[in-house]
Amino acid sequence: MRDAFRVLLSNFQGGEKKGIVLNYKLVFRLLGRLMLIVAALMVPSLIVALIYGGGDALSFVYTILITAACGAALNFLLKPQRSDLTARDGMAVAGLSWIVLSFFGALPFWISGAIPYLADAYFESVSGFTTTGSTILTEIEHLPKGILFWRSFTHWIGGMGVLVFTLAVMPKLSGRTSHLARAESPGPTFTKLLPKMSDTAKLLYALYFALTLIETACLLLAGMNVYDALIHTFGTAGTGGFSNYNASVGSFQNPLIEWIIAVFMMLFGVNFAIYFHMLRKEKETILQSEELWFYLGLVGGATLLITLVVLPQYHGFFEALRTAFFQVTAIASTTGFSTTDFNLWPLFARAILLLLLCFGACAGSTAGGFKLSRILLLFKTAYRDLEHTLQPRKVAVVRFEGKPVAETTLSQVGVYLSIWLFLAVVGTLLLSIRQSDLVTAMTATLTCLSNVGPGFNGVGPTENFAFFSPAAKLLLSFLMLAGRLEIYPVLLLFSPNVWRKN
């Protein structure tokens, strides 16, 4: 584990000049700008609270004022001597921003009294921003509509990333602003779609916004009201899974709504670069996407297998197919919506869902999980090493989607796997101290680390995380943040080398 962390740190510091110190003033000034943006993003929830009159409007007024005041103080009072952004600064901003913004995002829950304990409110906020969808709420439908709107809107904000959004709207920085997006973006590699990072950020959000509008329109045509359509679109787009009903999507008892949400869950699990190539009509690039075909094949194969296994529990093949497809896309895309209690499914079907829970969807999507691109690279590396054992003199290069993969990238994938497994094991052991059910402890850890939402047994689709102790909830919050930020930015905050000279 120590060697893996050293490799991680050396990769993180690579390319920086020795003696470069963390640009504290720039980092905290960027945090201030993020706070101002989040304060502005709370305004729609305030408007919803005023429209429905649930008594939660003042909680948003207080939170907006507190967040904006703190953000303004950091943004306008701090004057960094140098404005160039290094990889060190980008990682620090990514790690700190999600921790801090989750705190401010928790204030409406706490101030309104919807969630009376701050640790619980922070857990709910982290779950929202990281698009995990795990909840401590035992009764959802009686909560004020403004609070429920903000709860789901955090999914939409966190889905594409708060730093990517910031790059799209804030003034340009000198230096490599791609460090910010790289620190927040999922996947083993990061590629700009356009020459300028700000243009890439704007393009990503344009695609994100367009898909959001299309799904909202489809749900309205299927019979949802505007409020419900927005809530469930936010949960789908951010692959988060918060619903304003205790029974989630199953409360509608509407097959058309289930198909629409299932299809869009699958679409939001696709790398957004694919949609960019579709707009440019680059068919060959799309057809060469190994990760896309692996994702579609995984979803299709899992759906078929589960349909055949659970068929006796449903009224006909098509009902079983719809239910299986919905839950497969919900877990594979790490959205976490539910229409049935899959705890009651046969063990084989639950085992498939457990694998999907760990795998996740495509890199460059709004989904969490380990990412299928890493799975493919691990398979290819293992095959290459097996060939080398049989033919030691043969020089084999790992290729992914038609391009050779650098050995440093393959090494980073191995490091990431080791740290991911280490966190999964440690999290399970720590939760097992107070939790007698090993399946509950293990799947709670995995579902938070993978940003999925529901697990099995005590944290299944009809259960919640309320029974965990405050310390356990903070641990699970840490795992959610580590999973959403691809582990590195969060862990690097604990390294003394990040905060001092090389």
Side-chain angles (χ1 to χ4, degrees):
M1 179 62 191
R2 180 178 297 180
D3 292 338
F5 191 79
R6 285 175 178 171
V7 173
L8 161 64
L9 190 60
S10 64
N11 290 331
F12 157 68
Q13 293 176 332
E16 289 190 8
K17 295 179 181 179
K18 289 187 176 182
I20 294 290
V21 183
L22 183 71
N23 195 339
Y24 288 94
K25 289 186 177 181
L26 179 60
V27 167
F28 284 100
R29 190 179 191 187
L30 288 175
L31 285 177
R33 292 182 180 181
L34 287 168
M35 291 177 195
L36 291 173
I37 289 172
V38 170
L41 290 172
M42 289 183 185
V43 173
S45 301
L46 171 60
I47 294 172
V48 171
L50 291 171
I51 292 173
Y52 287 98
D56 53 337
L58 277 179
S59 65
F60 286 107
V61 172
Y62 294 148
T63 303
I64 290 171
L65 291 176
I66 293 170
T67 308
C70 293
L74 291 175
N75 184 53
F76 296 113
L77 296 180
L78 294 177
K79 304 294 182 182
Q81 294 180 345
R82 55 183 177 87
S83 58
D84 58 308
L85 189 73
T86 65
R88 182 193 302 267
D89 300 330
M91 285 286 183
V93 171
L96 291 173
S97 64
W98 283 74
I99 294 171
V100 172
L101 297 181
S102 293
F103 170 77
F104 286 102
L107 293 182
F109 302 135
W110 186 53
I111 295 174
S112 67
I115 303 178
Y117 300 107
L118 190 56
D120 288 356
Y122 188 73
F123 177 94
E124 201 75 11
S125 178
V126 170
S127 181
F129 278 115
T130 60
T131 72
T132 303
S134 301
T135 183
I136 52 87
L137 296 174
T138 57
E139 178 59 45
I140 298 172
E141 296 174 19
H142 77 283
L143 294 178
K145 290 188 179 295
I147 289 295
L148 290 178
F149 186 89
W150 171 245
R151 179 174 174 261
S152 291
F153 193 44
T154 55
H155 280 336
W156 194 86
I157 297 170
M160 189 58 68
V162 291
L163 297 181
V164 173
F165 182 82
T166 303
L167 289 174
V169 300
M170 76 178 186
K172 295 180 181 179
L173 293 167
S174 63
R176 299 182 61 187
T177 55
S178 61
H179 289 316
L180 283 177
R182 183 179 291 108
E184 188 180 58
S185 299
T189 58
F190 172 77
T191 304
K192 291 193 294 185
L193 299 177
L194 297 173
K196 293 183 179 180
M197 188 58 237
S198 59
D199 292 337
T200 298
K202 291 174 183 176
L203 172 64
L204 289 173
Y205 258 96
L207 293 170
Y208 191 44
F209 193 71
L211 285 172
T212 300
L213 288 178
I214 293 171
E215 183 185 358
T216 303
C218 290
L219 291 177
L220 290 173
L221 292 174
M224 274 192 183
N225 60 50
V226 175
Y227 181 82
D228 288 347
L230 287 174
I231 291 289
H232 290 85
T233 297
F234 293 154
T236 306
T239 61
F242 278 155
S243 173
N244 55 323
Y245 293 100
N246 293 327
S248 190
V249 179
S251 63
F252 294 100
Q253 295 295 306
N254 186 321
L256 179 57
I257 287 175
E258 292 178 21
W259 278 113
I260 291 171
I261 292 178
V263 169
F264 275 94
M265 285 192 292
M266 185 173 69
L267 292 177
F268 280 105
V270 173
N271 190 328
F272 272 64
I274 294 294
Y275 301 129
F276 173 72
H277 296 309
M278 289 176 63
L279 291 175
R280 299 183 65 172
K281 298 180 180 180
E282 297 173 347
K283 295 181 181 179
E284 291 185 4
T285 303
I286 298 172
L287 292 175
Q288 289 179 354
S289 177
E290 298 176 47
E291 186 181 36
L292 174 63
W293 295 115
F294 184 35
Y295 174 57
L296 296 178
L298 201 63
V299 169
T303 299
L304 180 59
L305 287 174
I306 291 179
T307 299
L308 296 176
V309 171
V310 303
L311 186 57
Q313 296 179 236
Y314 294 92
H315 302 290
F317 176 80
F318 290 104
E319 182 183 355
L321 176 66
R322 184 183 76 245
T323 306
F325 179 63
F326 188 95
Q327 291 308 149
V328 165
T329 54
I331 299 299
S333 67
T334 71
T335 305
F337 279 135
S338 64
T339 57
T340 188
D341 185 2
F342 51 73
N343 265 330
L344 303 177
W345 283 0
L347 181 60
F348 180 72
R350 284 179 285 154
I352 293 175
L353 291 182
L354 180 61
L355 288 175
L356 294 176
L357 183 149
C358 297
F359 285 1
C362 300
S365 69
T366 60
F370 190 77
K371 299 297 180 301
L372 298 181
S373 56
R374 287 195 179 95
I375 299 294
L376 285 170
L377 287 176
L378 287 172
F379 286 157
K380 287 174 175 284
T381 303
Y383 181 75
R384 190 269 308 269
D385 291 346
L386 179 62
E387 276 193 323
H388 182 72
T389 301
L390 299 175
Q391 303 178 54
R393 294 184 179 181
K394 182 178 180 180
V395 178
V397 177
V398 174
R399 304 183 71 85
F400 182 67
E401 300 188 344
K403 299 177 182 178
V405 181
E407 288 298 321
T408 54
T409 300
L410 298 178
S411 174
Q412 288 170 3
V413 170
V415 170
Y416 186 87
L417 174 62
S418 65
I419 299 176
W420 195 92
L421 291 175
F422 176 79
L423 290 178
V425 171
V426 171
T428 301
L429 289 175
L430 291 176
L431 290 183
S432 298
I433 294 174
R434 299 286 298 273
Q435 174 57 244
S436 59
D437 183 357
L438 180 60
V439 173
T440 297
M442 181 183 70
T443 59
T445 299
L446 291 175
T447 197
C448 287
L449 188 56
S450 296
N451 303 134
V452 175
F456 296 102
N457 287 12
V459 291
T462 61
E463 306 295 336
N464 56 71
F465 287 68
F467 63 89
F468 284 109
S469 67
K473 289 169 185 171
L474 291 177
L475 169 63
L476 293 170
S477 297
F478 169 81
L479 292 174
M480 286 189 279
L481 289 168
R484 175 58 184 85
L485 292 175
E486 302 275 284
I487 298 176
Y488 298 165
V490 175
L491 288 189
L492 286 169
L493 293 178
F494 297 95
S495 171
N497 290 327
V498 175
W499 307 101
R500 65 189 182 197
K501 292 184 179 181
N502 289 332

Short mmCIF file of all heavy atoms in Angstrom, two decimals, residues 34 37-45 98 101 105 125 128-131 149-166 184 205 208 212 233-235 237-239 366 484:
data_model
loop_
_atom_site.label_atom_id
_atom_site.label_comp_id
_atom_site.label_asym_id
_atom_site.label_seq_id
_atom_site.Cartn_x
_atom_site.Cartn_y
_atom_site.Cartn_z
N LEU A 34 -16.14 28.98 -6.05
CA LEU A 34 -17.05 27.83 -6.04
C LEU A 34 -18.21 28.04 -5.06
O LEU A 34 -19.35 27.69 -5.36
CB LEU A 34 -16.28 26.56 -5.68
CG LEU A 34 -15.34 26.01 -6.75
CD1 LEU A 34 -14.42 24.95 -6.15
CD2 LEU A 34 -16.12 25.43 -7.91
N ILE A 37 -20.72 30.29 -6.62
CA ILE A 37 -21.50 29.57 -7.63
C ILE A 37 -22.55 28.69 -6.98
O ILE A 37 -23.71 28.65 -7.40
CB ILE A 37 -20.57 28.74 -8.53
CG1 ILE A 37 -19.75 29.66 -9.43
CG2 ILE A 37 -21.36 27.76 -9.38
CD1 ILE A 37 -18.67 28.97 -10.23
N VAL A 38 -22.17 27.97 -5.92
CA VAL A 38 -23.12 27.10 -5.23
C VAL A 38 -24.23 27.92 -4.58
O VAL A 38 -25.40 27.52 -4.57
CB VAL A 38 -22.40 26.22 -4.19
CG1 VAL A 38 -23.40 25.50 -3.29
CG2 VAL A 38 -21.52 25.19 -4.90
N ALA A 39 -23.88 29.09 -4.03
CA ALA A 39 -24.91 29.96 -3.47
C ALA A 39 -25.93 30.35 -4.54
O ALA A 39 -27.14 30.37 -4.29
CB ALA A 39 -24.26 31.21 -2.87
N ALA A 40 -25.43 30.66 -5.75
CA ALA A 40 -26.33 31.02 -6.85
C ALA A 40 -27.18 29.81 -7.27
O ALA A 40 -28.37 29.96 -7.62
CB ALA A 40 -25.52 31.54 -8.03
N LEU A 41 -26.60 28.62 -7.23
CA LEU A 41 -27.32 27.42 -7.64
C LEU A 41 -28.40 27.01 -6.63
O LEU A 41 -29.24 26.17 -6.93
CB LEU A 41 -26.34 26.26 -7.83
CG LEU A 41 -25.41 26.38 -9.04
CD1 LEU A 41 -24.36 25.28 -9.03
CD2 LEU A 41 -26.21 26.34 -10.34
N MET A 42 -28.39 27.60 -5.43
CA MET A 42 -29.45 27.34 -4.45
C MET A 42 -30.70 28.17 -4.71
O MET A 42 -31.76 27.88 -4.15
CB MET A 42 -28.94 27.62 -3.04
CG MET A 42 -27.93 26.61 -2.52
SD MET A 42 -27.47 26.97 -0.81
CE MET A 42 -26.18 25.73 -0.54
N VAL A 43 -30.58 29.18 -5.55
CA VAL A 43 -31.71 30.07 -5.81
C VAL A 43 -32.92 29.32 -6.40
O VAL A 43 -34.06 29.56 -5.96
CB VAL A 43 -31.29 31.24 -6.72
CG1 VAL A 43 -32.49 32.07 -7.14
CG2 VAL A 43 -30.26 32.12 -6.00
N PRO A 44 -32.76 28.42 -7.40
CA PRO A 44 -33.93 27.68 -7.88
C PRO A 44 -34.66 26.93 -6.77
O PRO A 44 -35.90 26.87 -6.77
CB PRO A 44 -33.32 26.71 -8.91
CG PRO A 44 -32.09 27.40 -9.38
CD PRO A 44 -31.55 28.10 -8.18
N SER A 45 -33.93 26.35 -5.82
CA SER A 45 -34.56 25.64 -4.72
C SER A 45 -35.32 26.61 -3.82
O SER A 45 -36.39 26.27 -3.29
CB SER A 45 -33.51 24.88 -3.90
OG SER A 45 -32.83 23.95 -4.70
N TRP A 98 -14.97 19.67 -2.80
CA TRP A 98 -16.08 18.75 -2.59
C TRP A 98 -16.38 18.56 -1.11
O TRP A 98 -17.53 18.35 -0.71
CB TRP A 98 -15.79 17.41 -3.28
CG TRP A 98 -15.98 17.49 -4.75
CD1 TRP A 98 -15.16 18.09 -5.65
CD2 TRP A 98 -17.07 16.96 -5.51
NE1 TRP A 98 -15.66 17.97 -6.92
CE2 TRP A 98 -16.83 17.28 -6.86
CE3 TRP A 98 -18.22 16.25 -5.18
CZ2 TRP A 98 -17.71 16.91 -7.88
CZ3 TRP A 98 -19.09 15.87 -6.19
CH2 TRP A 98 -18.84 16.21 -7.52
N LEU A 101 -17.94 22.20 -0.08
CA LEU A 101 -19.24 22.46 -0.68
C LEU A 101 -20.31 21.49 -0.18
O LEU A 101 -21.48 21.85 -0.11
CB LEU A 101 -19.13 22.41 -2.21
CG LEU A 101 -18.21 23.47 -2.82
CD1 LEU A 101 -18.19 23.35 -4.34
CD2 LEU A 101 -18.65 24.87 -2.42
N GLY A 105 -23.75 22.60 1.35
CA GLY A 105 -24.94 21.98 0.78
C GLY A 105 -25.80 21.30 1.82
O GLY A 105 -27.01 21.09 1.62
N SER A 125 -25.89 15.35 2.01
CA SER A 125 -25.34 16.29 1.05
C SER A 125 -24.21 15.67 0.23
O SER A 125 -24.16 15.83 -0.99
CB SER A 125 -24.82 17.53 1.79
OG SER A 125 -24.24 18.45 0.90
N GLY A 128 -25.61 13.41 -2.24
CA GLY A 128 -26.20 14.12 -3.37
C GLY A 128 -25.16 14.62 -4.34
O GLY A 128 -25.22 14.33 -5.54
N PHE A 129 -24.16 15.35 -3.85
CA PHE A 129 -23.14 15.92 -4.73
C PHE A 129 -22.31 14.84 -5.43
O PHE A 129 -21.92 15.01 -6.58
CB PHE A 129 -22.22 16.86 -3.95
CG PHE A 129 -22.77 18.24 -3.75
CD1 PHE A 129 -23.09 18.70 -2.49
CD2 PHE A 129 -22.99 19.08 -4.83
CE1 PHE A 129 -23.60 19.97 -2.30
CE2 PHE A 129 -23.50 20.35 -4.66
CZ PHE A 129 -23.82 20.80 -3.39
N THR A 130 -22.01 13.75 -4.73
CA THR A 130 -21.22 12.68 -5.35
C THR A 130 -22.07 11.77 -6.21
O THR A 130 -21.57 10.81 -6.79
CB THR A 130 -20.52 11.83 -4.27
OG1 THR A 130 -21.51 11.24 -3.42
CG2 THR A 130 -19.57 12.66 -3.44
N THR A 131 -23.36 12.06 -6.31
CA THR A 131 -24.34 11.28 -7.10
C THR A 131 -24.40 9.82 -6.65
O THR A 131 -24.58 8.93 -7.47
CB THR A 131 -24.04 11.36 -8.61
OG1 THR A 131 -22.88 10.59 -8.92
CG2 THR A 131 -23.84 12.78 -9.08
N PHE A 149 -36.26 19.25 -3.67
CA PHE A 149 -35.74 19.74 -4.95
C PHE A 149 -34.23 19.95 -4.85
O PHE A 149 -33.48 19.54 -5.74
CB PHE A 149 -36.43 21.05 -5.33
CG PHE A 149 -36.07 21.56 -6.69
CD1 PHE A 149 -36.80 21.18 -7.80
CD2 PHE A 149 -35.00 22.44 -6.87
CE1 PHE A 149 -36.47 21.63 -9.08
CE2 PHE A 149 -34.66 22.90 -8.13
CZ PHE A 149 -35.40 22.50 -9.23
N TRP A 150 -33.77 20.60 -3.77
CA TRP A 150 -32.33 20.81 -3.58
C TRP A 150 -31.60 19.48 -3.45
O TRP A 150 -30.50 19.30 -4.00
CB TRP A 150 -32.08 21.67 -2.34
CG TRP A 150 -30.64 21.76 -1.95
CD1 TRP A 150 -30.07 21.29 -0.81
CD2 TRP A 150 -29.57 22.33 -2.71
NE1 TRP A 150 -28.71 21.54 -0.79
CE2 TRP A 150 -28.37 22.18 -1.96
CE3 TRP A 150 -29.50 22.96 -3.95
CZ2 TRP A 150 -27.14 22.64 -2.40
CZ3 TRP A 150 -28.26 23.41 -4.40
CH2 TRP A 150 -27.11 23.24 -3.64
N ARG A 151 -32.20 18.55 -2.73
CA ARG A 151 -31.61 17.22 -2.54
C ARG A 151 -31.33 16.55 -3.88
O ARG A 151 -30.26 15.98 -4.09
CB ARG A 151 -32.56 16.38 -1.70
CG ARG A 151 -32.13 14.95 -1.41
CD ARG A 151 -33.14 14.36 -0.43
NE ARG A 151 -32.90 12.94 -0.18
CZ ARG A 151 -33.56 11.95 -0.77
NH1 ARG A 151 -34.52 12.22 -1.65
NH2 ARG A 151 -33.28 10.68 -0.49
N SER A 152 -32.26 16.64 -4.81
CA SER A 152 -32.06 16.03 -6.13
C SER A 152 -31.21 16.90 -7.05
O SER A 152 -30.48 16.39 -7.90
CB SER A 152 -33.42 15.75 -6.79
OG SER A 152 -34.11 14.72 -6.12
N PHE A 153 -31.32 18.23 -6.88
CA PHE A 153 -30.55 19.14 -7.74
C PHE A 153 -29.05 18.99 -7.49
O PHE A 153 -28.24 19.22 -8.39
CB PHE A 153 -30.99 20.58 -7.49
CG PHE A 153 -30.50 21.56 -8.51
CD1 PHE A 153 -30.54 21.27 -9.87
CD2 PHE A 153 -29.99 22.79 -8.13
CE1 PHE A 153 -30.09 22.16 -10.83
CE2 PHE A 153 -29.53 23.71 -9.07
CZ PHE A 153 -29.58 23.39 -10.42
N THR A 154 -28.67 18.58 -6.26
CA THR A 154 -27.25 18.34 -5.99
C THR A 154 -26.71 17.23 -6.89
O THR A 154 -25.52 17.23 -7.23
CB THR A 154 -27.01 17.98 -4.51
OG1 THR A 154 -27.82 16.85 -4.16
CG2 THR A 154 -27.32 19.14 -3.60
N HIS A 155 -27.56 16.27 -7.25
CA HIS A 155 -27.16 15.23 -8.22
C HIS A 155 -26.76 15.86 -9.54
O HIS A 155 -25.74 15.52 -10.13
CB HIS A 155 -28.31 14.26 -8.47
CG HIS A 155 -28.49 13.22 -7.41
ND1 HIS A 155 -27.47 12.81 -6.58
CD2 HIS A 155 -29.58 12.48 -7.06
CE1 HIS A 155 -27.93 11.86 -5.77
NE2 HIS A 155 -29.19 11.66 -6.04
N TRP A 156 -27.62 16.76 -10.02
CA TRP A 156 -27.38 17.36 -11.34
C TRP A 156 -26.11 18.21 -11.31
O TRP A 156 -25.33 18.22 -12.25
CB TRP A 156 -28.58 18.22 -11.76
CG TRP A 156 -28.56 18.59 -13.20
CD1 TRP A 156 -29.04 17.85 -14.25
CD2 TRP A 156 -28.01 19.78 -13.78
NE1 TRP A 156 -28.84 18.51 -15.44
CE2 TRP A 156 -28.21 19.70 -15.18
CE3 TRP A 156 -27.39 20.91 -13.25
CZ2 TRP A 156 -27.79 20.71 -16.05
CZ3 TRP A 156 -26.96 21.91 -14.12
CH2 TRP A 156 -27.18 21.80 -15.50
N ILE A 157 -25.90 18.93 -10.19
CA ILE A 157 -24.70 19.76 -10.05
C ILE A 157 -23.45 18.88 -10.03
O ILE A 157 -22.46 19.15 -10.71
CB ILE A 157 -24.76 20.61 -8.76
CG1 ILE A 157 -25.93 21.58 -8.83
CG2 ILE A 157 -23.45 21.36 -8.55
CD1 ILE A 157 -26.21 22.28 -7.50
N GLY A 158 -23.49 17.82 -9.24
CA GLY A 158 -22.32 16.97 -9.07
C GLY A 158 -22.08 16.01 -10.21
O GLY A 158 -20.97 15.49 -10.36
N GLY A 159 -23.10 15.77 -11.03
CA GLY A 159 -22.98 14.78 -12.10
C GLY A 159 -21.86 15.07 -13.07
O GLY A 159 -20.98 14.24 -13.31
N MET A 160 -21.86 16.27 -13.63
CA MET A 160 -20.81 16.65 -14.56
C MET A 160 -19.59 17.21 -13.84
O MET A 160 -18.49 17.21 -14.37
CB MET A 160 -21.34 17.68 -15.57
CG MET A 160 -20.40 18.00 -16.71
SD MET A 160 -19.94 16.55 -17.69
CE MET A 160 -21.51 16.16 -18.44
N GLY A 161 -19.79 17.66 -12.59
CA GLY A 161 -18.67 18.14 -11.79
C GLY A 161 -18.74 19.64 -11.54
O GLY A 161 -18.96 20.42 -12.47
N VAL A 162 -18.54 20.03 -10.29
CA VAL A 162 -18.61 21.45 -9.96
C VAL A 162 -17.43 22.21 -10.52
O VAL A 162 -17.54 23.39 -10.86
CB VAL A 162 -18.69 21.64 -8.43
CG1 VAL A 162 -20.01 21.17 -7.88
CG2 VAL A 162 -17.55 20.94 -7.72
N LEU A 163 -16.29 21.55 -10.66
CA LEU A 163 -15.12 22.24 -11.21
C LEU A 163 -15.25 22.43 -12.72
O LEU A 163 -14.83 23.46 -13.26
CB LEU A 163 -13.84 21.46 -10.88
CG LEU A 163 -13.51 21.33 -9.40
CD1 LEU A 163 -12.21 20.56 -9.21
CD2 LEU A 163 -13.40 22.69 -8.75
N VAL A 164 -15.82 21.45 -13.41
CA VAL A 164 -16.06 21.59 -14.84
C VAL A 164 -17.03 22.74 -15.09
O VAL A 164 -16.87 23.55 -16.00
CB VAL A 164 -16.60 20.28 -15.44
CG1 VAL A 164 -17.01 20.47 -16.89
CG2 VAL A 164 -15.56 19.18 -15.35
N PHE A 165 -18.07 22.81 -14.23
CA PHE A 165 -19.04 23.91 -14.34
C PHE A 165 -18.34 25.25 -14.11
O PHE A 165 -18.58 26.23 -14.82
CB PHE A 165 -20.16 23.72 -13.32
CG PHE A 165 -21.22 24.79 -13.40
CD1 PHE A 165 -22.23 24.72 -14.34
CD2 PHE A 165 -21.20 25.87 -12.52
CE1 PHE A 165 -23.20 25.72 -14.42
CE2 PHE A 165 -22.16 26.86 -12.59
CZ PHE A 165 -23.17 26.78 -13.53
N THR A 166 -17.45 25.30 -13.12
CA THR A 166 -16.72 26.52 -12.81
C THR A 166 -15.86 26.97 -13.98
O THR A 166 -15.80 28.15 -14.32
CB THR A 166 -15.84 26.31 -11.57
OG1 THR A 166 -16.66 25.91 -10.48
CG2 THR A 166 -15.12 27.59 -11.19
N GLU A 184 -10.99 16.02 -11.35
CA GLU A 184 -12.38 15.72 -11.03
C GLU A 184 -13.00 14.70 -11.97
O GLU A 184 -13.99 14.05 -11.63
CB GLU A 184 -13.19 17.02 -11.07
CG GLU A 184 -14.61 16.90 -10.58
CD GLU A 184 -15.34 18.23 -10.66
OE1 GLU A 184 -15.44 18.80 -11.76
OE2 GLU A 184 -15.81 18.70 -9.61
N TYR A 205 -21.26 20.67 -20.84
CA TYR A 205 -22.49 21.10 -20.18
C TYR A 205 -23.62 21.34 -21.17
O TYR A 205 -24.80 21.18 -20.83
CB TYR A 205 -22.23 22.36 -19.33
CG TYR A 205 -22.11 21.99 -17.87
CD1 TYR A 205 -20.88 21.79 -17.28
CD2 TYR A 205 -23.25 21.78 -17.10
CE1 TYR A 205 -20.77 21.41 -15.95
CE2 TYR A 205 -23.15 21.40 -15.77
CZ TYR A 205 -21.91 21.22 -15.20
OH TYR A 205 -21.82 20.82 -13.89
N TYR A 208 -24.93 17.89 -21.69
CA TYR A 208 -25.58 17.50 -20.44
C TYR A 208 -26.96 18.16 -20.30
O TYR A 208 -27.95 17.51 -19.97
CB TYR A 208 -24.66 17.93 -19.28
CG TYR A 208 -25.00 17.40 -17.91
CD1 TYR A 208 -25.35 16.08 -17.70
CD2 TYR A 208 -24.93 18.25 -16.81
CE1 TYR A 208 -25.61 15.61 -16.42
CE2 TYR A 208 -25.18 17.78 -15.53
CZ TYR A 208 -25.53 16.46 -15.34
OH TYR A 208 -25.79 16.00 -14.08
N THR A 212 -30.73 16.47 -20.50
CA THR A 212 -31.63 16.73 -19.37
C THR A 212 -32.98 17.22 -19.85
O THR A 212 -34.03 16.76 -19.39
CB THR A 212 -31.00 17.78 -18.42
OG1 THR A 212 -29.76 17.28 -17.93
CG2 THR A 212 -31.92 18.08 -17.25
N THR A 233 -35.42 13.49 -13.38
CA THR A 233 -34.42 13.78 -14.42
C THR A 233 -33.08 14.14 -13.78
O THR A 233 -32.03 13.69 -14.23
CB THR A 233 -34.89 14.93 -15.31
OG1 THR A 233 -36.08 14.54 -16.00
CG2 THR A 233 -33.83 15.27 -16.35
N PHE A 234 -33.12 14.95 -12.71
CA PHE A 234 -31.88 15.28 -12.01
C PHE A 234 -31.19 14.01 -11.51
O PHE A 234 -29.97 13.86 -11.63
CB PHE A 234 -32.16 16.20 -10.82
CG PHE A 234 -32.64 17.57 -11.18
CD1 PHE A 234 -33.43 18.31 -10.30
CD2 PHE A 234 -32.32 18.15 -12.40
CE1 PHE A 234 -33.88 19.58 -10.64
CE2 PHE A 234 -32.76 19.41 -12.75
CZ PHE A 234 -33.55 20.13 -11.86
N GLY A 235 -31.98 13.10 -10.95
CA GLY A 235 -31.43 11.85 -10.44
C GLY A 235 -30.87 10.96 -11.53
O GLY A 235 -29.87 10.26 -11.32
N ALA A 237 -29.85 12.12 -14.73
CA ALA A 237 -28.75 12.80 -15.41
C ALA A 237 -27.46 12.72 -14.61
O ALA A 237 -26.38 12.46 -15.16
CB ALA A 237 -29.11 14.26 -15.68
N GLY A 238 -27.57 12.92 -13.30
CA GLY A 238 -26.39 12.83 -12.46
C GLY A 238 -26.06 11.43 -12.03
O GLY A 238 -25.10 11.21 -11.30
N THR A 239 -26.86 10.46 -12.50
CA THR A 239 -26.77 9.04 -12.10
C THR A 239 -26.69 8.94 -10.57
O THR A 239 -25.83 8.27 -10.02
CB THR A 239 -25.57 8.32 -12.75
OG1 THR A 239 -24.34 8.94 -12.36
CG2 THR A 239 -25.69 8.31 -14.25
N THR A 366 -21.31 10.48 -16.31
CA THR A 366 -21.63 10.97 -14.98
C THR A 366 -21.70 9.83 -13.97
O THR A 366 -22.01 10.06 -12.80
CB THR A 366 -22.98 11.72 -14.99
OG1 THR A 366 -24.02 10.83 -15.42
CG2 THR A 366 -22.92 12.92 -15.92
N ARG A 484 -16.07 9.37 -5.89
CA ARG A 484 -16.45 10.37 -6.90
C ARG A 484 -15.23 11.06 -7.50
O ARG A 484 -15.18 11.36 -8.70
CB ARG A 484 -17.38 11.41 -6.28
CG ARG A 484 -17.75 12.58 -7.22
CD ARG A 484 -18.41 12.07 -8.49
NE ARG A 484 -18.69 13.15 -9.43
CZ ARG A 484 -17.83 13.64 -10.32
NH1 ARG A 484 -16.58 13.16 -10.37
NH2 ARG A 484 -18.19 14.60 -11.15
#
